[in-house]
C-alpha cells in the first residue's frame, strides 16, 4: 500500500487551497489538495512538510490529521491510503511548481471542481461544514499530537 498525505489549507477568509494536476500527469487536469507520497521511513507530517515545500515553496507551521481514506484507482495496481491533514503554512505567497494552476475556493464551491475520486468524502464534509480545518488547528495542542503522532 502507498501512503499519500494531503494538506487542507484554509485562509482567514475560509477559502481552501486546491491545485489542478498538470495535463501530462496521471489523472490530467483533475483537482486535488496539495501533497504527495510518503517516502519509506518518513513520518507522515514530515512528508507533508516536504511536499508543501516542493509543490508550493511554503513552510508547514502546524497540522492535524482530519481523515483517512483507502482508494484504488483502476489504472494503478497499488491501493492508496490518503491521509488528510488540516494544515497551516507560514507564507501567503505561493509558488505553484507542480500544478497547472491553483485556486482558493470556498468550501461550498468545491463541488464545482473535477476532483480525484478519493477526495469525494472529504469534500462533502468540508462543503457541509462538518470539518472546519482552521478550527481544528486552533484546538488544544494535544489534538495535533494525538492525530499526527500515531504508530504506523
Amino acid at each position: 500500500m502507498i501512503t499519500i498525505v494531503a494538506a487542507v489549507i484554509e485562509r482567514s477568509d475560509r477559502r481552501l487551497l486546491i491545485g489542478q494536476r498538470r495535463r501530462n500527469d496521471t489523472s490530467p487536469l483533475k483537482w486535488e489538495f496539495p501533497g504527495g507520497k510518503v517516502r519509506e521511513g518518513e513520518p507522515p507530517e514530515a512528508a507533508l512538510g516536504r511536499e508543501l515545500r516542493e509543490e508550493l515553496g511554503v513552510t508547514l507551521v502546524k497540522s492535524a490529521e482530519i481523515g483517512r481514506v483507502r482508494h484504488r484507482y483502476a489504472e494503478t495496481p497499488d491501493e492508496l491510503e490518503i491521509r488528510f491533514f488540516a494544515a497551516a503554512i507560514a507564507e501567503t505567497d505561493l509558488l505553484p511548481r507542480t500544478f497547472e494552476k491553483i485556486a482558493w475556493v470556498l468550501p461550498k464551491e468545491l463541488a464545482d471542481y473535477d476532483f480525484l475520486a478519493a477526495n469525494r468524502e472529504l469534500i462533502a464534509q468540508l462543503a457541509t461544514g462538518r470539518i472546519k480545518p482552521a478550527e481544528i488547528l486552533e484546538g488544544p495542542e494535544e489534538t495535533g499530537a494525538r492525530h499526527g503522532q500515531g504508530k504506523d
Side-chain angles (χ1 to χ4, degrees):
M1 182 177 334
I2 296 171
T3 302
I4 306 290
V5 290
V8 182
I9 300 167
E10 182 178 357
R11 282 194 321 207
S12 59
D13 63 1
R14 294 212 53 239
R15 292 179 182 272
L16 304 171
L17 179 66
I18 59 174
Q20 187 178 39
R21 295 172 74 95
R22 290 192 172 149
R23 56 186 77 247
N24 58 349
D25 282 348
T26 56
S27 303
L29 302 179
K30 292 275 191 184
W31 289 86
E32 65 182 354
F33 295 100
K37 291 180 187 172
V38 176
R39 295 176 179 159
E40 182 137 358
E42 185 179 37
E45 287 185 318
L48 189 67
R50 176 183 50 76
E51 287 287 344
L52 291 175
R53 269 190 315 279
E54 291 172 3
E55 292 186 353
L56 300 166
V58 298
T59 306
L60 178 65
V61 174
K62 189 174 184 182
S63 65
E65 189 171 324
I66 56 174
R68 292 184 190 193
V69 65
R70 287 188 176 191
H71 191 84
R72 185 184 312 264
Y73 288 99
E75 63 274 8
T76 59
D78 295 313
E79 183 177 34
L80 304 177
E81 179 184 60
I82 299 121
R83 299 174 73 169
F84 295 100
F85 289 83
I89 55 174
E91 298 82 2
T92 54
D93 292 331
L94 309 178
L95 304 168
R97 298 174 175 149
T98 60
F99 292 109
E100 189 78 16
K101 59 184 164 185
I102 59 172
W104 289 97
V105 301
L106 290 169
K108 66 183 180 188
E109 297 169 338
L110 291 170
D112 298 338
Y113 292 83
D114 186 15
F115 269 86
L116 291 167
N119 291 277
R120 283 191 192 124
E121 183 181 327
L122 177 68
I123 288 168
Q125 292 186 24
L126 290 165
T128 59
R130 285 194 300 265
I131 293 179
K132 297 178 180 174
E135 286 182 15
I136 291 167
L137 290 175
E138 290 171 6
E141 278 303 313
E142 64 270 15
T143 301
R146 185 173 62 241
H147 287 295
Q149 305 292 322
K151 292 195 184 332
D152 293 333

